[in-house]
Amino acid sequence: MHDELFEQPAVVARYRAGPYAESRERFLQQARAVGYSPATLESMAWALLVVAEAVHDDGGVSYERLRSTLLRRVRLKSTARPPSANTAKLFLRCAKAWLRSIGALTPEAQRPLKFAGELRAFTEYMRVEQGLSPTTIAGRDEQIRWFCASLPSQVRSLDAVTLAHVDAFLRAQAQRGWSRRSLHTLGGSLRSFFRYAASQRWCRSDLASGIELPRLYALEHVPRAPSVEEVGRLLKDTASSDDPVNIRDHAILSLLIYYGLRRGEVERLTLDDLDWVAETIHVTRPKQRRAQCYPMSVPVGEAILRYLRLARPRCSHRALFLTIQAPFRPLSGPSITFMVRKRLTKQGGAIELARRTLPASRVCEPTSGRWLYFEADR
């Protein structure tokens, strides 16, 4: 691999003489397979050599030492200057992955998680008994971990948790700018956890029922749908372009508009979900826990074919929609949301998806002698 990146035999010999040469070459080959350019691979090869020499001296390296070593010693070949922030992130990410592959990354000291056993049991309950989706389970688990981390050190059991602790946590999130809807979801996750904890006799039986949620108003978050003409302009902007990003986004927009798919359903589409012989699309519906088969409409089929022929990177991923720039990886749901939002904004104000919201003010809810303050959505 090094002889493909560098022309001078002395340079190739220096890289091959360094520690862990075979492992570094394998890593660079994998990086090339996911689409990194030769220029980026050259810089990565230099960064890996620096890290390999540091690891060879000490047998292992922590993340902090890795970061300081790279920032101090790596210089870009073209400018002889330290790498930019984005390039430094790339080097750190690659170096961490390579060090993990050879078992030389010293694990960082982690603060022990409170009630880890109870959280694992609740996660299993959500998966097996409630049948919730992985996304919902991950979201609730993360929110409950935040709450547990916020508890004072003297709280050593769930039985010692009180409503005052829950109120303080929700109030702190409100002061950080959380909307009432987000706080409602957060409080609902805590209610669900403490109901389960009470059934296991880990906490007081009245704790879950005492958690008051901010009031939500009917239709306050229902957006105005764009008109047919506005949607047509949105598709037209990406239909005639030869730019790979526009070609990919046009296929995504076609699926969202013609089929009304959710972003997660588009994210989960794979090459195997397209049946070109039967001209059908198989869509996994997580809320219905089954797959549905739809006839492939002509505009959507043509948009996907154009994307596959002209824009989709050639790689081993089976996901339908991938990033255009290396490293090639499946496009995430939040990235799809960002793309749609950005393209709506580019309409120059022609499309306004305003929501009905309350004026910015304080909304006070009396809760059993306590007061919770929630900022109204702006």
Coordinates of all heavy atoms in Angstrom, one line a residue, residues 56-90:
H56 N 4.9 2.1 20.1 CA 6.0 1.2 20.2 C 6.9 1.5 21.4 O 7.4 0.5 22.0 CB 6.8 1.3 18.9 CG 7.9 0.3 18.8 ND1 7.7 -1.1 18.8 CD2 9.2 0.4 18.8 CE1 8.8 -1.7 18.7 NE2 9.8 -0.8 18.7
D57 N 7.0 2.7 21.8 CA 7.9 3.1 22.9 C 7.2 2.7 24.2 O 7.9 2.2 25.1 CB 8.1 4.6 22.9 CG 9.0 5.0 21.7 OD1 9.7 4.1 21.2 OD2 8.9 6.2 21.3
D58 N 5.9 2.9 24.4 CA 5.2 2.7 25.6 C 4.3 1.4 25.7 O 3.8 1.1 26.8 CB 4.4 3.9 26.0 CG 5.3 5.1 26.1 OD1 6.5 5.0 26.3 OD2 4.8 6.3 26.0
G59 N 4.0 0.8 24.6 CA 3.2 -0.3 24.5 C 1.7 0.0 24.5 O 0.8 -0.9 24.4
G60 N 1.3 1.3 24.7 CA -0.1 1.7 24.7 C -0.1 3.2 24.8 O 0.8 3.9 25.2
V61 N -1.3 3.8 24.5 CA -1.4 5.2 24.5 C -2.9 5.5 24.9 O -3.8 4.9 24.5 CB -1.0 5.8 23.2 CG1 -1.9 5.4 22.1 CG2 -1.0 7.4 23.3
S62 N -3.0 6.6 25.7 CA -4.4 7.0 26.1 C -4.9 8.0 25.0 O -4.1 8.5 24.2 CB -4.4 7.7 27.4 OG -3.6 8.9 27.4
Y63 N -6.2 8.3 25.1 CA -6.7 9.2 24.1 C -6.1 10.6 24.2 O -5.8 11.2 23.2 CB -8.3 9.3 24.2 CG -8.9 10.3 23.3 CD1 -9.0 10.0 22.0 CD2 -9.3 11.5 23.8 CE1 -9.6 11.0 21.1 CE2 -9.9 12.5 22.9 CZ -10.0 12.2 21.6 OH -10.5 13.1 20.7
E64 N -5.9 11.1 25.4 CA -5.3 12.4 25.6 C -3.9 12.5 25.1 O -3.5 13.4 24.4 CB -5.4 12.8 27.1 CG -6.7 13.1 27.7 CD -7.4 14.2 26.9 OE1 -6.7 15.2 26.5 OE2 -8.6 14.1 26.7
R65 N -3.1 11.4 25.3 CA -1.8 11.4 24.8 C -1.8 11.3 23.3 O -1.0 11.9 22.6 CB -1.0 10.2 25.4 CG 0.4 10.0 24.7 CD 1.5 10.0 25.8 NE 2.8 9.9 25.1 CZ 3.4 8.7 24.8 NH1 2.8 7.6 25.1 NH2 4.5 8.7 24.1
L66 N -2.7 10.5 22.7 CA -2.8 10.4 21.3 C -3.1 11.8 20.7 O -2.5 12.2 19.7 CB -4.0 9.4 21.0 CG -4.5 9.4 19.5 CD1 -3.3 8.9 18.6 CD2 -5.7 8.5 19.4
R67 N -4.0 12.5 21.3 CA -4.4 13.8 20.8 C -3.2 14.8 20.8 O -2.9 15.5 19.8 CB -5.6 14.4 21.5 CG -6.1 15.7 21.0 CD -7.4 16.1 21.8 NE -8.0 17.3 21.3 CZ -7.5 18.5 21.6 NH1 -6.5 18.7 22.4 NH2 -8.1 19.6 21.1
S68 N -2.6 14.9 21.9 CA -1.4 15.8 22.1 C -0.3 15.4 21.1 O 0.4 16.3 20.6 CB -1.0 15.8 23.5 OG -0.5 14.6 23.9
T69 N 0.0 14.1 20.9 CA 1.0 13.7 20.1 C 0.8 14.1 18.6 O 1.6 14.6 17.9 CB 1.2 12.2 20.2 OG1 1.5 11.8 21.5 CG2 2.3 11.7 19.2
L70 N -0.5 13.9 18.2 CA -0.8 14.2 16.8 C -0.7 15.7 16.6 O -0.2 16.2 15.6 CB -2.2 13.7 16.5 CG -2.3 12.2 16.2 CD1 -3.8 11.8 16.0 CD2 -1.5 11.7 15.0
L71 N -1.3 16.5 17.5 CA -1.3 17.9 17.3 C 0.1 18.5 17.3 O 0.4 19.5 16.7 CB -2.2 18.6 18.3 CG -3.7 18.2 18.2 CD1 -4.5 19.0 19.3 CD2 -4.3 18.6 16.9
R72 N 1.0 17.9 18.1 CA 2.3 18.4 18.2 C 3.2 18.0 17.1 O 4.1 18.8 16.7 CB 2.9 17.9 19.6 CG 4.3 18.5 19.9 CD 4.8 18.1 21.2 NE 5.2 16.7 21.2 CZ 4.5 15.7 21.8 NH1 3.4 16.0 22.4 NH2 4.9 14.4 21.8
R73 N 3.1 16.8 16.6 CA 4.1 16.3 15.6 C 3.6 16.3 14.1 O 4.4 16.3 13.2 CB 4.5 14.9 16.0 CG 5.2 14.9 17.4 CD 5.8 13.5 17.7 NE 6.7 13.1 16.6 CZ 7.2 11.8 16.5 NH1 6.9 11.0 17.5 NH2 8.0 11.5 15.5
V74 N 2.3 16.1 13.9 CA 1.8 16.0 12.5 C 1.8 17.3 11.8 O 1.3 18.3 12.4 CB 0.4 15.4 12.5 CG1 -0.1 15.4 11.1 CG2 0.5 13.9 13.0
R75 N 2.5 17.4 10.7 CA 2.4 18.6 9.8 C 2.0 18.2 8.4 O 2.5 17.1 7.9 CB 3.8 19.2 9.8 CG 4.3 19.8 11.1 CD 3.5 21.0 11.5 NE 3.9 21.7 12.7 CZ 3.5 21.3 13.9 NH1 2.7 20.3 14.1 NH2 4.0 21.9 15.0
L76 N 1.2 19.0 7.8 CA 0.7 18.6 6.5 C 1.9 18.8 5.5 O 2.7 19.7 5.5 CB -0.4 19.6 6.1 CG -1.7 19.4 6.9 CD1 -2.8 20.3 6.4 CD2 -2.2 17.9 6.9
K77 N 1.9 17.9 4.5 CA 3.0 17.9 3.6 C 3.0 19.1 2.7 O 4.1 19.7 2.4 CB 2.9 16.6 2.7 CG 4.0 16.5 1.7 CD 3.8 15.2 0.9 CE 4.9 15.0 -0.2 NZ 4.7 13.8 -1.0
S78 N 1.8 19.6 2.3 CA 1.8 20.7 1.4 C 2.1 22.1 2.0 O 2.7 22.9 1.3 CB 0.4 20.8 0.8 OG -0.6 21.0 1.8
T79 N 1.8 22.3 3.3 CA 2.0 23.6 3.9 C 3.0 23.6 5.1 O 3.4 24.6 5.6 CB 0.7 24.1 4.4 OG1 0.2 23.2 5.4 CG2 -0.3 24.3 3.3
A80 N 3.4 22.4 5.6 CA 4.2 22.2 6.7 C 3.6 22.9 8.0 O 4.3 23.2 8.9 CB 5.6 22.8 6.5
R81 N 2.3 23.0 8.0 CA 1.6 23.6 9.1 C 0.8 22.5 9.8 O 0.5 21.4 9.2 CB 0.7 24.7 8.7 CG 1.4 25.9 8.1 CD 0.4 27.0 7.6 NE 1.1 28.1 7.1 CZ 0.4 29.2 6.6 NH1 -0.9 29.2 6.5 NH2 1.1 30.2 6.1
P82 N 0.3 22.8 11.1 CA -0.5 21.8 11.7 C -1.8 21.7 11.0 O -2.3 22.6 10.3 CB -0.8 22.4 13.1 CG 0.4 23.4 13.3 CD 0.7 23.9 11.9
P83 N -2.5 20.5 11.0 CA -3.7 20.3 10.3 C -4.8 21.2 10.9 O -4.8 21.6 12.0 CB -4.0 18.8 10.5 CG -3.3 18.5 11.8 CD -2.1 19.3 11.8
S84 N -5.8 21.4 10.0 CA -7.0 22.2 10.5 C -7.8 21.3 11.5 O -7.5 20.2 11.7 CB -7.9 22.5 9.3 OG -8.4 21.3 8.7
A85 N -8.8 22.0 12.1 CA -9.6 21.3 13.1 C -10.3 20.0 12.5 O -10.3 19.0 13.1 CB -10.7 22.2 13.7
N86 N -10.8 20.2 11.3 CA -11.5 19.0 10.7 C -10.5 17.9 10.3 O -10.8 16.7 10.5 CB -12.3 19.5 9.4 CG -13.5 20.3 9.7 OD1 -14.1 20.2 10.8 ND2 -13.9 21.2 8.8
T87 N -9.4 18.3 9.8 CA -8.3 17.3 9.5 C -7.8 16.6 10.8 O -7.6 15.4 10.8 CB -7.2 17.9 8.7 OG1 -7.7 18.6 7.6 CG2 -6.2 16.9 8.3
A88 N -7.7 17.4 11.8 CA -7.2 16.8 13.1 C -8.3 15.8 13.6 O -7.9 14.7 14.1 CB -7.0 17.9 14.1
K89 N -9.5 16.1 13.4 CA -10.6 15.2 13.8 C -10.5 13.9 13.0 O -10.7 12.8 13.6 CB -12.0 15.8 13.7 CG -12.3 16.9 14.7 CD -13.7 17.4 14.4 CE -14.1 18.5 15.5 NZ -15.4 19.0 15.2
L90 N -10.2 14.0 11.7 CA -10.1 12.8 10.9 C -8.9 12.0 11.3 O -9.1 10.8 11.5 CB -9.9 13.3 9.4 CG -9.5 12.2 8.4 CD1 -10.6 11.2 8.3 CD2 -9.1 12.8 7.1

